[in-house]
Amino acid sequence: MPRYAMVIDLQRCVGCGACSIACRNENNVQEGVYWSNKITETVGTFPNVRYHYIPTLCNHCGAAPCVRGCPTKAMHKLENGLTMHDPKKCIGCKYCEFNCPYGVIYFNWEKPHKFWRSEEAVIPGATSSPKELVEKVGAQGTPYVNTERTGTSATLRPKGIVEKCTFCDHRLARKQLPYCVEACPANARIFGDISDPKSEVSVLLGKFHPFRLREELGTDPHVFYIRGYNPARYRATKGGV
Amino acid sequence: MKQVEPLKAEGASKRKHDSRFTRRGFLKVSAAAGAALALERGLSLELRAFAQADRRPADETGRWIPSTCQGCTSWCSKEVYVLDGRAVKVRGNKRSKVNGAASCPRAHLALQQVYDPDRVKVPMKRTNPKKGRNEDPRFVPISWDEALTTIADRIMALRQKGEPHKYMLMRGRYTYMRDILYDAMTKIIGSPNNISHSAICAEAEKFGPFYTEGYWDYRQYDVLNTKYIIIWGADPLAANRQVSYYSSVWGDIVGKATIVVVEPRLSATAAKADEWLPIHPGQDGALASAIAHVLLTQGLWSREFVGDFKEGKNLFVAGQEVDPESFEEKHTHGIVKFWNLALKDRTPEWAAERTGLPVEQIVRVATDYGKAGSQSISWVGGGPVMQVRGAYASMICHCLNGITGACDNLGGTLVNNKEYTSHFPKWDDFMDETAKKGSKMAKIDHRGRKDFPCINAGKPGTAVVTNRAADGILNADPYDIQVAIAYMNNFNFSATQPERWNQALAKIPFLVHITTHASEFSWFADIVLPDTHHLFEKWGWVKSAGNGFRHVTLMQPVIKPLGEAKIDETEIPWLIAQKLAERGFDNLLRYFKTIKDPETGREPADEKEFALFCVKHTTQNLWDPSKYQGGDKFNGWEEFRQAGVWNSAPYPYRKRWSQMNTVTKKFEFYSETLKAALEEHAKKHNTTVDDILEVSGYQARGELAFVPHYEEPSTLGDPKEYPLLFVDHKSRLNREGRSANCTWYQEFKDVDPGDSAWDDVAKINPLDAAKLGLKNGDKIRIVSPTGKLECTAKLWEGVRPGTVAKCYGQGHWVYGRVASKVFGKIPRGGNNNEVIPAVYDRLSGSTVRHAATRVRIEKI
Amino acid sequence: MSGGKILYPVWLGVLGVALLAGAVAGIYIFVQGHVLFNANDVLIWTLPLAVYIFLALSSSGLTLLSALPLVFGVKKYEPLAKRLVFLAIATLCGGFVAIGLELGTVFNMIYIMLSPNLSSPIWWMGAIYSAELAVLIVKFWKMHTGDFHSGFSRFLGTASFVLALIAPLMIGSVFGLTESRATYFGPVMSIYCLLMAVLSGTALFLLYDMVGGRLSAGAAADAAGRSVQDDFTRILTYTAGIVAAFTVLKTLIESATTIPAFLVYHKFEHLFGAVGNFGTEVIFGLFLPFVLLVIPSVRASARGRMLAAALIFAGSLARHTEILLAGQSHPVGPKAEQFPQYVRYLPSGWELMVLVFALAVMLTLYTLGERYLKLTEAPKA
C-alpha cells in the first residue's frame, strides 16, 4: 500500500494560483471555498522587499486532528494516507474545521453554487439567467461541472457538511495525478508514494531539508516544502559594525 | 479526400447514450458527399472536432480537443476537455514546442467566459434612440435576418451616396482570419477606416528593435541559455508574453541566471528576481544609458559583435568624445557616434539622481550584466516604452543587446522563427470605382499627419493610432463616420480617457458591435451581434514564438456555440456579404467565394464552410505534404487539426548578423533606418526632422534623434496638486480586461502581489499612506487632471514611495453581473484608463499608459 | 394572589409564542442552511453553540447540586432534590435544542451510534450528556413514584453525579484538545467548565427558586426555605470567587505570554466591550455580583441576591460566548488570505431565535413541571 505525499518546490512555484483555480474546476468547489489555497507574505521595507507565496492544501496528516476529533468517523484515514471525508456520516458539527491547524476545511453553509441558481438575466431575452444556462447545457450545479469528480465529494455537495482536499482520490483511482499537480505550469508540485524510497518524492525529500507547516504540533503533515520562493543571490559579505 | 477518423470502438460504446455520437456514420457520409448535404453540413463541421480520437486513460469519458487561448497575447496552444458536449477543463497542448503542457492560471477562467450567463446569446437591437453613458439602450432580441438586413441596408445607403469611406471597422482581439472582416470587407466596401487596437497594446515595444535591428515584432528570449536578465517593465510570470512557458522554466532560470527587474512596483516577476530596481517611473532611459555607459567605459562590449578599437585601447572615457575612425565595427553601425551623442556623460551618478536608485546598484548591475557577455538579455516590456517619448526608451533599452552581442545569439534576444502560412487571395479586383475612391481617403485616426509620424516598420503614416480615432470621430475630422462595425474590442473601456470614446460612439449614427458580452462599447451600439468564444467556438489560427520555436496554433469549435453566436471574422462577414449581394452588390460575396477548400477545390456554400475554408486555405502550406516547407510535417488537414499546432524548426542563432533588415544590414546604434523614415516624413510635410520632433513632443534635435538616447519623461499634472505618480500594471488573471465577470477572477484576484480578492485596490507605500492619513481598506478616489476613479486603499511595501500602483482590469460598468456593481450603471472598482490622459508616443503611434500622469488621492 | 393568576396565563402565552417562533425558525434554518447565522469559515461556532455550552453546563451544575441530598445525603436539601433533577432535565433539553439547531446535518446523528469515534471529545460529550439525560429522567421518574432511597435509585443518583462531573470536563476538552488554538488553555479549560457549571447551575436555581417561588407559591419564604437560600447563596459566592480568581489568573497569563496566538487574541474585539483586559461581561457578570455577594447586607436581602444571581446567570452566557468567539476571531493559516485579520461578530436574528427557542423549551418545561409534577415532593421520613 502506498503512502501518498506531496512535495512543493517553492523555487519552481511562481505564485500564479493555477493550482487553486484548477482545483475549483476539477472538484466543482464553489465560491468561497478553497481546497487549494496559499499563504502570502510581503517581507521587508521598501526598497528591500520581497513577496513570498506558499501554496497550501490539506496536509493529509499522519496524526490528523480533524480525524481524531470527528465524532462519527466521517473524517477518516485511508491506508494510503489520504484523509478522507464521508459526507453520509457528517453531522455538520464542524469540529474538524475548528480543529484543523491548517485552515483547509470548509463548511457548506448553504446549498452550493448559489451564483448558478439565480433566475435573473441582465438583459432579459438576450442574455441568460445562470439557472437557465446550467439547464441549457444539460449540466448540474455549474455549466462546466466536472461529472468525473466522483466518489466521496461527488459532483455537488449537500449543505450542512464540511469538505476539503482529497488529493483527488477519484483521479488516483484512475492512476492520474491530483489535478493541481497536473495543472501546475511550473512543475512545482511533485506527488508520489513516500513509502517507496525510489519515488520522486522520496528522492527529493532526501536531497533537501524539507519543512512542513506547523510541524511543532506533531500532526505529521504529508505536504513537504523544499527550497525557497526567492533564491536570490547576493555578493558575499561579512556585514559590518 | 481525407475522411473524419472514426471514434475508437471503446469510446463509441461508452457514448451510446449520447445521441450526438450516433451520428458518426452520418459524419463520414456528410464529409464525402460534399455540397449535396449542405443543410446538415453546419452540424458536421461543428462535430468533426468531437470525432478526433486521442489517447486517454481508461476511465476518462470525455476527450481533449486542441484549440488556442487568447486570454493574453501569449497565444498558447491548448486542449479543451469536452465531456457530454460541454467544455469542462483546459490544459496546455503538449505538442506545442512554445508552451508545451504548461498552462497559466488565466486559461482556466476561459470556462467561466464561455459559460457566462451574461453572454449575449442572440442578436439584439437598441430601442432607446438616445445614446450616452447614462442611457439604458433598452436592448431587445431580434433575428439574425433582421440584424443583417439592417446592416446591409446601411452599408448600401453609404455606397449609394458615394460615401463608403464613412464606413469604419474597429478591430479588437483577432486571429489571422482578420483580413476578411478587417481588411478585405472594409476595402471592398470602399473605406480606408479599418482601425485596429494595436496601438493601445504595445507597439512602442517594437520600435526599438526595428530601428536597431530591423525587426518589427515582439522578441523571444533564450532564457535557458542566459546568465543575466534585465527586465524593463515586463512581468513575464504574470502578463505577456509566453507566460505559460516562462512559468514552466523560471524555477530553473532563477538558479542559473541573475535576474534584475526594473519596475516601480514589486511585480510577480520581481518577487522571484535577484534584484528589484524600483525605478522612478519614466526614468528607464536614464538607467539604460548609464548601463550602456558602464559597459563601454569598462570595456564590456562584445568584441565579436561590435568590434574593437583599432589600437586595442579602450578610449571610452567618461566625458570624452571619441574619434569614429579609431573604432572598427563588425556587425554594428555607429557605436562611436552613439557614445559621443548619447552616452559619454551618462554616468551612474547622473542616472542615480534621476532614477532614485543607488549608484552602487547601478554599477553592480551594469558590470555583472556586461560580464555575462553575450549570454545576457535586455528584455524590453511595455513599462518604459508605452510612454510619451517611449520610442527612444525602447531603443536605448533594446540596444544593450547590441552592445553585449546578445542580439540573435545563444542566451540572448531572438526574433521570430520562419513560418509558412499564406495570405488570402488578393481582393483588388473586387474593388469597384466607388471602393477605390473611398479607400484612398485619409484615415479617421490622423496617422501620418505632421505631428503623428506613426512610422510602423520604417513606413511613416502606417501605424494605427487607435485612441486618436475617438477624436477623429468626435470632431468629424477629416469627416464624419456614419456606419461602424466593431468586433471584440471595448475602446471606451480599454483606451485611455475613455469618456472621449463614449462621446464619439454616441455620435456614430449606426454602430454594430460583435461581442461575446454586452460591454461598455455595446452600450452605444444600435445592433449587438453575439460572437463566438475564440477558445471553444471559433475557427481560426494565430502564431507566436517562444522557447526558440514558433508555433501556428489552431482554434476550432470544440462545443456548440452558445445560443446563436457566430464567428466574428468569417461567418458574420459572409452573412453580410450575402445580404449585400441580395441588394445588388455582390463583389464581397464573389471575393469570398474565391477562398476555396484546398482539399476539394470547392467554393464555400455557407458561412460555416467559409469559416473552415479560410483556415484551411491559409494553413495549407503547413499541413499539405505536397507544399511542405519546414517545421512539423503532417499528412493532411485532418492530422493537423487533431494536433492543433504546427511547430517551426529550432532557432538558427547568428544567422541575422550583418543580414538585418536595416539600411546598413547591421545592428544600428546610429539608426540610418530611423533617419530615413524621419526624413521621409519631414519631406512629405515639407519641413525638417527637427520640426517633426518638436511638434511630436520629443526633445532630441539634430543627430541625437537617430541614436538611442535618454529623453525626460513627459508627465501630466502639477506635483503640488497631484503629488503621486500613477503606475498601471496588468493582472495575471486578466483575459485582456474581459475576465472581471468571472467569479474565479474575483476569488483569486490576490494572486497579483499586493492585491485583494473581490476588491480593486490601489497599492500605496505606507510612508505615503501615513502622510495622507490612509489605512488599509479605506475607500478612496484617485483624481488625475483628466479623470477620476474609485477603489480601495491597500498599504503595501512593494510600491515606490511617491507612486500609487493599480492593476488594470476592473471598473467595468457593464460587462456582467460580477464585473459591474450595478449592470449598466455603477462599476465595480475603478478603470485605470479613467485617470490616464489620452497622450501618445507619436513616433510609434502608441497610446501611453505609463508615467503618463500624476494623481492625488481623496478619501471617500 | 390575583397578580399571579393574571401573570400565569400571560406567561404561558409568552412561552407559547416563543416556542412557535422558535420552531418556525428552526425549520427555516434547516431549509436554508446555516448561512442564516453570522458564522463563517473563521468564526465557525457562534451564539447557538455558546447557548448549548451554557445550558448544558448549567444542567450539570444543577445535577451536581442535586447530589448534595441524593448522593451525599444532606437531608436538609431533600425537599429540593426532585426540583433540581427536573430543572437539570429541562435545562439540558434547552441545551439540546440549541445544539440541534447548530448541527449542519442533524439527521446524520445516527452515526454517533453507528460509527462512534472514541478519540473524539465531541463524541464523549454527546454520549455523556445523552446518558445523563436518560439517567436523570429515570431518576426523576423514580422520585416521582416515591422511590428516593432504593438501591437502584441511589445508583441513579450516583451515576448522574459522576456523569455531571465528567460532562463539563468533556465540553472543556472539546476546546482544550485543539492543538492549534492555544488560547483555549488546553486541559485548564475543562476545570473552568466544571466551575462554570456549578456557578451558573447555582445561579439558575436561586433565580428559579426566587422567581418561581414568588410566581406560584407566593409567600413560601419560610424559615427552612430561607436557610436553603442562604446555603446556596454561599455556594454561589464561593464559586463566583473561585471563578473570578481563575479569570484574573487567566487574564494575567494571557497578558504576559509571548506566544503568537495570544498576541493576536489580544486584538479581539469584545462583543460587549471591555475595560482594559477585562470584558464588560466579566466585570458586570462576575466581579460585580461577587462583590455584591460579599457584602453581608446585600447578601441578606432577597433583591440583592436576585440581582447577583441574575447578573451571574446572564454573565455566564455572555462569558461563554466571548470565550468561544475570542478563540476563533483570527483566521487559521491560509484563511487569512480571504478573511480580515480579525473577524467581527454580532449574532443574526436567526441565532437569537435559537437562544429564544432553547430558553423557551427550558422555561416551558419548568413551568409545566412546576404545575403538574409536584416538584417539592420529598421522601417521607
Side-chain angles (χ1 to χ4, degrees):
Chain A
M1 182 58 74
R3 200 317 174 186
Y4 289 124
M6 189 182 291
V7 174
I8 297 183
D9 180 348
L10 295 175
Q11 182 172 323
R12 286 196 186 280
C13 175
V14 294
C16 71
C19 45
S20 297
I21 304 175
C23 172
R24 286 268 173 103
N25 188 190
E26 174 71 29
N27 293 300
N28 307 313
V29 178
Q30 68 164 325
E31 275 59 54
V33 179
Y34 297 78
W35 286 17
S36 166
N37 207 345
K38 63 183 184 299
I39 296 170
T40 60
E41 204 182 348
T42 301
V43 182
T45 309
F46 181 90
N48 303 307
V49 57
R50 283 295 190 281
Y51 165 89
H52 299 268
Y53 185 108
I54 299 178
T56 61
L57 66 162
C58 173
N59 283 290
H60 296 272
C61 299
C66 60
V67 170
R68 188 194 59 206
C70 176
T72 60
K73 292 184 178 166
M75 203 64 90
H76 59 282
K77 293 297 291 184
L78 298 184
E79 263 185 81
N80 60 12
L82 267 56
T83 303
M84 293 296 293
H85 180 248
D86 182 352
K88 281 200 297 292
K89 291 184 183 171
C90 181
I91 61 171
C93 71
K94 307 179 279 284
Y95 190 38
C96 51
E97 188 176 2
F98 185 86
N99 237 334
C100 174
Y102 303 106
V104 301
I105 304 179
Y106 285 79
F107 183 66
N108 284 287
W109 298 96
E110 61 187 317
K111 200 175 154 195
H113 300 298
K114 185 180 178 192
F115 177 90
W116 292 103
R117 296 204 305 275
S118 162
E119 292 180 45
E120 254 173 70
V122 294
I123 305 174
T127 67
S128 321
S129 78
K131 189 168 179 239
E132 176 192 338
L133 182 61
V134 173
E135 282 164 9
K136 193 160 176 208
V137 300
Q140 272 189 321
T142 71
Y144 41 84
V145 65
N146 175 21
T147 46
E148 288 179 352
R149 166 74 244 196
T150 50
T152 53
S153 284
T155 313
L156 296 175
R157 264 74 75 181
K159 71 168 163 44
I161 59 153
V162 297
E163 61 177 76
K164 65 159 195 73
C165 155
T166 68
F167 264 173
C168 280
D169 62 303
H170 62 294
R171 290 177 61 90
L172 297 179
R174 294 174 197 145
K175 303 274 176 231
Q176 291 176 310
L177 290 168
Y179 199 55
C180 59
V181 177
E182 191 100 316
C184 174
N187 296 320
R189 289 170 181 241
I190 303 99
F191 186 81
D193 176 8
I194 201 176
S195 68
D196 172 6
K198 291 201 283 287
S199 69
E200 290 83 350
V201 285
S202 298
V203 170
L204 286 171
L205 292 180
K207 197 178 185 107
F208 297 98
H209 183 202
F211 73 92
R212 298 177 284 177
L213 296 176
R214 303 189 77 177
E215 268 177 283
E216 75 282 3
L217 296 177
T219 49
D220 188 21
H222 272 62
V223 173
F224 299 82
Y225 299 90
I226 57 171
R227 307 206 284 179
Y229 189 72
N230 185 354
R233 281 161 299 165
Y234 62 98
R235 283 190 179 174
T237 171
K238 288 192 190 296
V241 287
Chain B
M1 176 188 152
K2 190 92 182 147
Q3 288 187 349
V4 177
E5 199 177 311
L7 290 167
K8 281 184 181 167
E10 153 240 40
S13 67
K14 276 202 171 113
R15 315 208 123 267
K16 265 189 186 141
H17 64 282
D18 190 334
S19 64
R20 279 189 304 275
F21 286 85
T22 59
R23 292 178 180 265
R24 278 184 303 115
F26 167 73
L27 285 186
K28 276 180 160 178
V29 178
S30 156
L37 288 163
L39 224 170
E40 295 282 354
R41 194 174 308 107
L43 179 70
S44 83
L45 290 177
E46 270 154 23
L47 293 181
R48 287 172 82 155
F50 289 105
Q52 82 136 351
D54 191 8
R55 206 158 290 171
R56 58 203 165 81
D59 295 315
E60 272 190 357
T61 52
R63 41 195 69 242
W64 290 96
I65 304 172
S67 192
T68 301
C69 177
Q70 290 191 297
C72 72
T73 41
S74 295
W75 293 350
C76 293
S77 187
K78 294 286 175 201
E79 288 184 301
V80 179
Y81 192 58
V82 180
L83 195 59
D84 302 325
R86 293 178 299 112
V88 167
K89 297 186 220 179
V90 180
R91 70 179 181 193
N93 184 352
K94 57 187 177 301
R95 299 175 197 92
S96 161
K97 289 177 182 164
V98 174
N99 56 266
S103 192
C104 87
R106 58 168 66 71
H108 305 288
L109 267 52
L111 291 166
Q112 290 198 327
Q113 284 186 310
V114 68
Y115 292 125
D116 188 333
D118 303 334
R119 265 186 75 180
V120 182
K121 56 180 182 182
V122 291
M124 54 189 195
K125 71 173 179 195
R126 140 183 239 110
T127 57
N128 178 3
K130 274 199 257 167
K131 293 181 181 180
R133 165 69 175 80
N134 298 315
E135 291 294 337
D136 182 344
R138 296 204 295 268
F139 285 124
V140 295
I142 55 169
S143 68
W144 268 101
D145 192 65
E146 183 185 342
L148 294 165
T149 302
T150 316
I151 294 166
D153 285 344
R154 289 288 191 150
I155 294 172
M156 289 307 289
L158 271 189
R159 281 184 50 86
Q160 276 149 17
K161 271 198 282 179
E163 295 181 333
H165 56 284
K166 295 187 174 178
Y167 167 82
M168 177 184 188
L169 187 283
M170 284 171 267
R171 184 185 89 192
R173 179 45 52 222
Y174 65 95
T175 74
Y176 287 92
M177 301 296 97
R178 64 187 180 187
D179 290 356
I180 298 296
L181 175 62
Y182 171 71
D183 220 353
M185 180 165 141
T186 313
K187 299 279 166 56
I188 292 173
I189 287 172
S191 169
N193 292 312
N194 47 356
I195 301 297
S196 84
H197 70 292
S198 298
I200 58 170
C201 185
E203 290 300 278
E205 242 192 88
K206 302 172 181 170
F207 192 91
F210 188 81
Y211 292 105
T212 51
E213 56 169 300
Y215 172 68
W216 186 270
D217 207 340
Y218 302 106
R219 281 76 52 215
Q220 41 177 337
Y221 300 104
D222 195 12
V223 289
L224 287 176
N225 294 311
T226 201
K227 292 180 186 158
Y228 207 101
I229 306 174
I230 301 179
I231 299 179
W232 304 89
D235 195 3
L237 294 184
N240 251 352
R241 295 182 161 71
Q242 305 321 337
V243 178
S244 299
Y245 166 65
Y246 290 123
S247 296
S248 72
V249 294
W250 210 257
D252 287 330
I253 304 168
V254 288
K256 274 171 37 172
T258 300
I259 299 166
V260 175
V261 172
V262 185
E263 180 158 347
R265 155 202 77 111
L266 185 75
S267 66
T269 310
K272 287 185 81 74
D274 296 273
E275 302 232 19
W276 173 42
L277 271 54
I279 195 164
H280 193 282
Q283 298 292 353
D284 308 78
L287 178 61
S289 302
I291 291 174
H293 177 97
V294 171
L295 292 177
L296 295 188
T297 53
Q298 296 199 8
L300 294 170
W301 71 87
S302 165
R303 304 296 188 275
E304 193 186 7
F305 188 63
V306 183
D308 205 351
F309 285 102
K310 289 172 182 162
E311 305 289 317
K313 184 173 170 252
N314 184 3
L315 301 179
F316 292 128
V317 179
Q320 295 184 17
E321 289 220 358
V322 173
D323 175 9
E325 292 305 312
S326 62
F327 199 101
E328 193 168 349
E329 281 185 271
K330 285 189 173 164
H331 302 288
T332 64
H333 173 78
I335 182 80
V336 173
K337 270 192 194 170
F338 176 33
W339 165 265
N340 289 342
L341 287 164
L343 293 183
K344 68 178 169 39
D345 301 320
R346 300 310 186 213
T347 60
E349 290 74 16
W350 171 87
E353 273 175 39
R354 281 155 186 81
T355 57
L357 302 170
V359 175
E360 315 81 74
Q361 193 173 31
I362 297 173
V363 174
R364 180 174 67 237
V365 166
T367 315
D368 290 353
Y369 172 69
K371 284 181 180 161
S374 63
Q375 282 169 287
S376 63
I377 293 168
S378 176
W379 182 320
V380 188
V385 305
M386 294 302 277
Q387 301 188 0
V388 180
R389 303 168 185 161
Y392 286 112
S394 184
M395 286 179 81
I396 186 82
C397 293
H398 183 73
C399 83
L400 300 179
N401 293 308
I403 298 177
T404 58
C407 175
D408 202 40
N409 206 347
L410 183 83
T413 161
L414 314 178
V415 301
N416 284 328
N417 308 53
K418 253 182 112 63
E419 55 86 15
Y420 309 100
T421 55
S422 51
H423 291 289
F424 289 108
K426 290 250 176 282
W427 51 78
D428 302 4
D429 294 347
F430 298 88
M431 290 170 69
D432 59 13
E433 280 314 308
T434 314
K436 278 180 187 150
K437 210 174 118 213
S439 59
K440 282 194 195 106
M441 302 284 286
K443 293 190 185 229
I444 196 74
D445 66 347
H446 304 172
R447 72 182 76 171
R449 290 188 181 181
K450 183 176 160 189
D451 57 344
F452 273 96
C454 302
I455 36 183
N456 179 336
K459 299 179 284 292
T462 53
V464 63
V465 202
T466 315
N467 208 8
R468 187 71 173 185
D471 304 298
I473 297 166
L474 251 181
N475 305 324
D477 175 14
Y479 43 79
D480 57 322
I481 292 295
Q482 288 286 326
V483 175
I485 299 181
Y487 78 98
M488 283 319 280
N489 68 331
N490 197 10
F491 292 159
N492 55 336
F493 179 83
S494 59
T496 52
Q497 237 178 304
E499 185 50 33
R500 295 170 312 116
W501 276 102
N502 287 344
Q503 291 166 17
L505 295 179
K507 215 186 146 193
I508 299 176
F510 186 71
L511 178 64
V512 179
H513 198 209
I514 307 171
T515 181
T516 53
H517 289 69
S519 66
E520 286 75 8
F521 197 96
S522 316
W523 220 236
F524 296 85
D526 296 271
I527 287 187
V528 175
L529 299 176
D531 200 357
T532 49
H533 189 286
H534 65 268
L535 177 54
F536 306 96
E537 301 168 335
K538 181 175 179 175
W539 280 113
W541 59 264
V542 288
K543 52 191 177 184
S544 65
N547 191 28
F549 287 93
R550 191 150 196 211
H551 71 197
V552 174
T553 170
L554 196 65
M555 43 267 285
Q556 57 181 323
V558 301
I559 55 169
K560 261 182 64 187
L562 181 93
E564 298 176 10
K566 296 207 179 287
I567 302 174
D568 43 23
E569 291 174 322
T570 47
E571 290 183 347
I572 292 174
W574 172 277
L575 293 168
I576 293 173
Q578 276 185 327
K579 288 283 176 200
L580 291 174
E582 283 169 20
R583 278 154 185 74
F585 177 63
D586 66 352
N587 296 24
L588 190 57
L589 190 62
R590 281 193 292 113
Y591 169 67
F592 286 168
K593 285 185 176 170
T594 63
I595 301 167
K596 297 176 179 158
D597 182 359
E599 286 183 299
T600 61
R602 208 158 47 72
E603 278 180 5
D606 59 19
E607 79 277 13
K608 287 188 186 293
E609 281 199 343
F610 180 60
L612 175 65
F613 293 176
C614 283
V615 171
K616 288 173 82 172
H617 177 92
T618 43
T619 56
Q620 189 181 3
N621 293 343
L622 308 183
W623 53 261
D624 187 339
S626 69
K627 304 220 165 190
Y628 180 75
Q629 286 173 279
D632 287 359
K633 200 166 183 180
F634 295 98
N635 284 325
W637 162 253
E638 198 51 33
E639 195 187 30
F640 172 53
R641 193 188 60 71
Q642 286 179 27
V645 64
W646 169 93
N647 297 288
S648 72
Y651 194 83
Y653 295 109
R654 298 176 178 218
K655 289 281 186 286
R656 293 173 59 250
W657 284 17
S658 290
Q659 301 290 326
M660 289 171 175
N661 185 28
T662 52
V663 168
T664 60
K665 305 277 178 217
K666 309 268 185 187
F667 189 102
E668 294 179 344
F669 293 114
Y670 181 90
S671 183
E672 304 286 357
T673 313
L674 179 57
K675 190 176 181 179
L678 283 173
E679 282 173 352
E680 186 189 332
H681 185 69
K683 202 173 148 201
K684 208 160 78 183
H685 294 280
N686 293 317
T687 182
T688 61
V689 170
D690 280 359
D691 181 37
I692 295 294
L693 291 167
E694 185 169 356
V695 296
S696 306
Y698 294 87
Q699 292 179 309
R701 298 292 180 270
E703 290 278 276
L704 187 61
F706 313 131
V707 296
H709 65 271
Y710 167 73
E711 299 229 340
E712 285 170 0
S714 162
T715 306
L716 199 66
D718 174 9
K720 286 208 186 79
E721 199 184 340
Y722 302 99
L724 300 166
L725 272 159
F726 188 74
V727 174
D728 168 269
H729 70 92
K730 307 294 181 245
S731 169
R732 63 200 334 168
L733 297 185
N734 273 5
R735 296 183 59 85
E736 303 197 311
R738 297 187 178 96
S739 48
N741 204 46
C742 304
T743 53
W744 289 344
Y745 178 94
Q746 302 290 346
E747 288 270 300
F748 295 100
K749 187 66 186 63
D750 57 347
V751 295
D752 292 314
D755 275 14
S756 306
W758 287 100
D759 207 346
D760 191 19
V761 301
K763 297 177 282 285
I764 303 159
N765 189 285
L767 291 175
D768 291 324
K771 278 187 227 158
L772 296 164
L774 292 173
K775 57 179 194 310
N776 260 331
D778 281 350
K779 297 288 165 219
I780 55 170
R781 185 180 298 118
I782 299 180
V783 186
S784 80
T786 58
K788 55 182 187 288
L789 66 82
E790 289 178 7
C791 64
T792 308
K794 175 78 179 275
L795 277 53
W796 199 50
E797 286 291 347
V799 248
R800 178 172 191 89
T803 70
V804 49
K806 191 176 163 297
C807 190
Y808 167 77
Q810 298 198 69
H812 280 287
W813 49 274
V814 196
Y815 227 84
R817 68 191 66 208
V818 179
S820 61
K821 204 183 270 168
V822 180
F823 184 77
K825 294 195 174 75
I826 303 170
R828 177 191 289 279
N831 179 4
N832 286 3
N833 287 327
E834 296 282 359
V835 297
I836 306 177
V839 288
Y840 307 87
D841 170 51
R842 293 173 181 233
L843 285 180
S844 66
S846 298
T847 285
V848 165
R849 287 195 303 264
H850 302 289
T853 188
R854 308 185 68 92
V855 296
R856 67 164 183 268
I857 294 179
E858 297 168 354
K859 225 160 137 177
I860 304 176
Chain C
M1 299 280 283
S2 61
K5 276 187 189 131
I6 298 163
L7 269 179
Y8 188 71
V10 171
W11 174 237
L12 281 185
V14 168
L15 286 177
V17 170
L19 280 178
L20 192 69
V24 170
I27 290 165
Y28 196 67
I29 287 166
F30 279 105
V31 173
Q32 293 295 309
H34 288 74
V35 67
L36 298 175
F37 291 2
N38 281 351
N40 53 48
D41 286 300
V42 172
L43 269 179
I44 297 158
W45 286 334
T46 52
L47 181 66
L49 193 82
V51 172
Y52 161 73
I53 294 170
F54 167 63
L55 293 180
L57 289 178
S58 301
S59 163
S60 297
L62 291 162
T63 310
L64 291 173
L65 290 180
S66 79
L68 292 175
L70 295 176
V71 178
F72 301 104
V74 184
K75 283 266 184 287
K76 187 167 136 187
Y77 301 141
E78 275 190 346
L80 306 178
K82 196 175 168 188
R83 173 177 285 159
L84 281 165
V85 170
F86 184 75
L87 290 183
I89 292 171
T91 310
L92 192 50
C93 287
F96 277 144
V97 165
I99 195 147
L101 291 175
E102 216 286 330
L103 293 178
T105 318
V106 75
F107 305 109
N108 283 356
M109 284 286 276
I110 186 75
Y111 285 99
I112 293 251
M113 315 252 283
L114 295 182
S115 178
N117 182 7
L118 301 188
S119 68
S120 165
I122 290 227
W123 186 85
W124 283 104
M125 179 186 79
I128 289 169
Y129 270 116
S130 304
E132 166 126 12
L133 184 63
V135 169
L136 286 174
I137 288 171
V138 178
K139 174 72 185 173
F140 182 80
W141 180 249
K142 283 280 164 200
M143 290 194 284
H144 193 61
T145 54
D147 176 6
F148 276 72
H149 296 301
S150 75
F152 182 56
S153 186
R154 294 179 74 90
F155 164 74
L156 288 172
T158 311
S160 66
F161 170 67
V162 173
L163 289 172
L165 267 182
I166 304 172
L169 301 181
M170 277 300 143
I171 289 192
S173 65
V174 165
F175 300 92
L177 271 173
T178 301
E179 290 88 347
S180 58
R181 298 182 191 267
T183 57
Y184 285 115
F185 275 87
V188 176
M189 188 69 178
S190 290
I191 311 291
Y192 179 76
C193 282
L194 185 57
L195 291 170
M196 286 298 290
V198 177
L199 184 67
S200 59
T202 311
L204 181 57
F205 182 71
L206 276 171
L207 268 181
Y208 179 82
D209 197 51
M210 288 183 281
V211 177
R214 280 181 189 197
L215 268 180
S216 53
D222 55 8
R226 220 173 298 137
S227 155
V228 169
Q229 285 204 357
D230 285 343
D231 291 353
F232 275 64
T233 306
R234 208 161 287 133
I235 295 174
L236 186 69
T237 313
Y238 294 149
T239 320
I242 297 169
V243 173
F246 194 96
T247 304
V248 170
L249 183 65
K250 179 171 172 281
T251 309
L252 288 177
I253 293 172
E254 280 167 4
S255 315
T257 184
T258 56
I259 294 174
F262 282 93
L263 301 181
V264 184
Y265 183 79
H266 289 157
K267 298 186 181 162
F268 169 65
E269 219 167 283
H270 291 266
L271 189 54
F272 309 99
V275 180
N277 286 328
F278 294 101
T280 311
E281 77 288 347
V282 173
I283 294 166
F284 292 100
L286 183 62
F287 294 167
L288 175 66
F290 174 64
V291 170
L292 290 177
L293 289 169
V294 169
I295 301 165
S297 60
V298 178
R299 191 170 64 221
S301 84
R303 284 187 179 192
R305 287 174 186 177
M306 190 127 115
L307 175 65
L311 283 173
I312 285 177
F313 185 69
S316 297
L317 174 58
R319 266 175 297 131
H320 283 304
T321 312
E322 280 277 304
I323 289 173
L324 183 67
L325 295 174
Q328 310 173 75
S329 65
H330 61 281
V332 174
K335 284 183 181 173
E337 299 282 321
Q338 281 79 37
F339 286 93
Q341 211 172 353
Y342 314 106
V343 181
R344 292 174 188 195
Y345 172 76
L346 265 183
S348 73
W350 300 101
E351 289 173 89
L352 291 171
M353 284 311 296
V354 173
L355 171 65
V356 168
F357 194 25
L359 290 178
V361 165
M362 175 182 99
L363 293 171
T364 307
L365 287 173
Y366 283 4
T367 309
L368 298 177
E370 195 64 46
R371 179 99 171 188
Y372 300 109
L373 294 174
K374 293 175 269 180
L375 293 183
T376 48
E377 227 173 27
K380 293 173 185 77

